[in-house]
Amino acid sequence: MSSIPLEWYLMLAAVLFAIGAFGAFSRRNAVAILMGIELMLNAVNINLVAFWRYVEPQGLEGLMFAIFSITVAAAEAAVALALVLALYRTRDTINVEEIDLLKW
Amino acid sequence: MNTNVDWLQRSLAIGPELLLMLGGLVVLLVDMWLADDDHPLLPGLTGLFMVGALIWSFVPFIPGMGITPGTIYGMFALDNLTIFFRVFVLTSSLLVLALTTVYIKGRTEQTGEFYSLLLFITLSVILASAANNLIMIYLAFEFLSLTSYIMVGWLRDDVRSNEAAMKYLLYGAISSAVMLYGMSLLYGATGSTNIAEIAAVFANPRTEIVGIFNLGITAAVLMMVGFGFKVALVPFHQWSPDAYEGAPTPVTTFLSVGPKAAGFAIMIRVLTGALGAQTESWQAMLSAVAILTMVVGNLTALAQTDMKRLLAYSSIAQAGYILMGLVANNPADNFGIRAVLVYLLAYLFTNIGLFVSVIGFEQATGSTTIDDYRGLIRRSPFHAMAMVIFFLSLLGIPPTAGFLGKFLVFGAVINAELYFLAVVGMLTSVISAYYYLNVVRVMFFQGDEEDRPLRFAFPLQAVLVITLVGTLLMNLYPTPFLNLIGEPTNLVTQLFGQLPF
Amino acid sequence: METFIPSPQGIPWLSIVCVIAPLVSAIVTLFIPSGNDNAVKMWANVASFAIFLGTIFIWLFAGYDPNNPAYQLGEVAEWIPVLNVDYRVAIDGLSLPLVVLTGFLTWISIFYSTRVINYRVKEYFFLFLLLAVGMFGVFIALDYFLFYIFWEIGLVPMYFLIGIWGGARREYAAIKFFLYTLTGSVLMLLAILGIYWGTGSFNLVTLPGLMQNSEVFGANGNFLVKSLAFWAIFIAFAIKVPLFPFHTWLPDAHVEAPTAGSVILAGILLKLGGYGMIRILMPLFPDTFNAYWIPIAVLAVISIVYGALVAMAQWDLKKLIAYTSVNHMGYCMLGIAAAASTLDRGPELMESRAIALNGAVFQFIAHGLITGALFLLVGVIYERAHTRDIKQFGGLGAVLPIFYGFMAITTFASLGLPGLAGFVSEFMVFRGAFGVGLQAQPILAILTGIALLGIVFTAALFLWKVIQGLFLGTLNEKWANLPDMHAWEMISVVPLVVLFIFFGLYPAPILNLINQGVVKILGMMS
């Protein structure tokens, strides 16, 4: 078995996830928020691969899950950037605090 | 067994899904070939594929087809729950399609793509409700999310539509990332992504992974963020009023029904299936969420002046009531789940009916402000009266579908002896009477000077009548609707028992 | 002995007269082309009179045996087998008089409205007939699920009647009425569900027995759960009665409602609550009711005294009468509490308990007739003067002699003058309550003594405020030329007056009927 214990990977993933979440919640630029979300998703991928390697190496589910999650993240980014573009065209801004027509 | 026959049977079993996927692609191609964006062939084809899928949904009931309940490659569960949600979402999509044909004219040029997306989003809801594997759940969930983001932002030149889509996407992406993190922990805790296998591990823990076994409940909490987002539970609901208000109204109609159904289907499978052994832990958490949802949803709705926003908060509150059924579910007879399904069906008729009225009014006057509904009883008596019945149904006053739903949900809650939850639910539903009746007040008690008649387009009339009949019939003659959900005595076997768990 | 006798030859008379006829009449109203207000009014009059005749038919000719305490003219049909819900209707001595009263007052109200309502006519009569479905339904339903559905159906039309045709603060009064009643109903719904899980049934015929044998609700059951269920249902009914302190919706609703709406509200809707107490709460929760009889009797006495005192402080004639309703329904509650105050103290108390409960049920009828007439008479003066402020009136006796006569006899009836229906019921309630009190429960005797004050206060307020304030003293010149009552107004009031005089002098036929039902209920309690 590898000398690096599973917990280290999990901690790395948790820290990455937290950084991503912090970025997603604190940034005002829509693109920066998306970057934070990407970071969160990649933290999950580390989790998945690490779990696959340590918990269930004979199966393939963890790897498949990670590959799917990378693909979905790409699709999500494509849709998100298209929306950002559309929004920029109509509003001339991608700052989420200025996007405030809808409110209670 | 002959592999070819096996392949054929599997295709038959997921025929509705294949048909929907094919339909989405065909409509796209036809749209490229047609010069006219408003060509009736587009909605016609879309409707044809939906009706085909709806009819095909009943194929498993035909004896001799060789289709038995089970899972396909462990990914797609074919059971009563799946069939219920197939029928459910196809019905709502057909109704929404009828609304779309009226609404979309002159608002956008990309009609073909819209119809194609409607087919795809229908497919995604079915996939989500049938998903039997965390990977499948995630994929279907994201499929649903991405299509709904695009549909919310469909009116490219409308600032509000764009803004709604952006907000929806940002909230959605964050919550689905959190959910995915939870799923990865669940995978780590059990070494599997299959719901049945996860349940087996929790029922019979493997010694070597006992250290991270407790991650299961953390995972449940994190996954609830994603599920809660999809069905708009407090505190993951902030996107919904904005998305409801900004989206094209037919999309709002679908959003209020389809993703909710998908979210509850996933919750039923994950919580009672995978995490069934830890019911106590998530039950407490979910009843707190349900209380919060009902209180916040109903109280915030009191202050609304826009019809679509009002309905958004009302649908948040309704999600709280539906959640109560899940919280109070008794695994012995699954009464709570049955109540959830009945409530969802009641909600389908009622909510779509209400949105038809809103769309009709919006088409005629261009407004969604509640005050503009003044004197609707004089301008269009039938619609005003229909809206009263829908509001009474949301409120749970007989003889309407909503009453049956509330009756069963609260029945489950009382049976589980969660009296506090029951009383909170009932008192918040009294609060909801205030804002529902406020609209009735505006429509009936005010606006004597209004007498310009309103005309509603034929498809809207038709949908209105269908939903109205459904709303009343579900209480006056509920047996066929209850049969769709399954005989109560053997519901367990029908829903879950015959699965290869 | 048979407790549930099906309708002879299986003809569903009750469904035809009490559910289908008003429902179909209401729907037909909607399809009369707009603009034909007179046709709508004609149709509503004909339909409601036919329904009233139908209730008489049920009473006298449909094969109902007044000397049999069983549920009669019964109909059962499977409805939701999954939940064990049936469509089950029947009548007995308790419900039959109320069914007839409902038919009668609905007809009177619609007749009176014909001349008064000229705004959104079609909707008005549609809602009125729909309201009749709900009221009839509550009285005939013997399945708790069905009962609840009819109970709620009655709520919605009244909301619209107050909100559309009401007075200045109609919107406020309408929503207040709705929210109060709904709060009670949803609590009752929870209790219904609890009962269902405890017994597996909604069948009100068998439920009393099932409740006794159930683990939770039986005599040795969980007292906390029983109390919760009891109070949930009690509050639902108490709001409707209305019992102090749940009465605050009533003055608003009465004052703002159109005249016919007030008549129905006072005449029938308030009785739904009292009827529910007797039909459902007493047989289903005998020991729980017994355990809590003191607080209930205290609330009843407070309603009696407080209602009378607050009525005395009013200068708005309609509000004054509304508060006397709180007072009068307090007598009903006192009678019910007295009947529930002892359970197993032997047959020597049975007579007094039966008298008290008979008095309470008779008070439903008497109050329905008397207060209905009072509200009609208030409507008469309001249509002329467009005010109900007593301070502005005076000396009307010379100007409106006929009106004076009607008003005088009705107020006398309301304050309980012997020879009129109100006296019979109040006397019976006091006789029964004193009887039980002196023999077994001294507290009840004291409470009844306090309640007698209510009689004194109502007498004072009717004589001082209504008779003196309206008819005696100096005439305000403004009213010198008021026309006296028209013939059609008299036609609406006379039947009520005749009936409350008749029942005051000869209550036996109604009392015999009621007694069959009451004795049966008391039998179920022991």
Side-chain angles (χ1 to χ4, degrees), chain B residues 194-262:
Chain B
N194 185 299
I195 284 182
E197 285 169 24
I198 293 172
V201 172
F202 277 122
N204 194 5
R206 300 194 325 197
T207 44
E208 72 267 25
I209 52 170
V210 101
I212 47 176
F213 184 72
N214 291 327
L215 284 177
I217 205 62
T218 322
V221 174
L222 292 173
M223 285 191 297
M224 270 310 294
V225 176
F227 306 154
F229 164 80
K230 205 68 314 174
V231 298
L233 297 172
V234 177
F236 316 110
H237 67 290
Q238 291 94 337
W239 62 273
S240 104
D242 291 344
Y244 274 48
E245 189 187 346
T249 315
V251 176
T252 312
T253 314
F254 191 83
L255 280 188
S256 73
V257 178
K260 267 205 168 52

Side-chain angles (χ1 to χ4, degrees), chain B residues 298-299 301-303 310 395 427-442, chain C residues 159 171-172 174-176 178-179 182:
Chain B
N298 280 318
L299 288 182
L302 288 175
L310 177 87
L395 191 48
L427 293 183
T428 53
S429 83
V430 173
I431 294 175
S432 74
Y434 189 81
Y435 61 82
Y436 290 136
L437 290 182
N438 182 44
V439 185
V440 175
R441 180 181 69 90
V442 171
Chain C
Y159 166 76
E171 292 182 2
Y172 167 78
I175 190 74
K176 191 171 179 183
F178 195 95
L179 291 182
L182 185 66

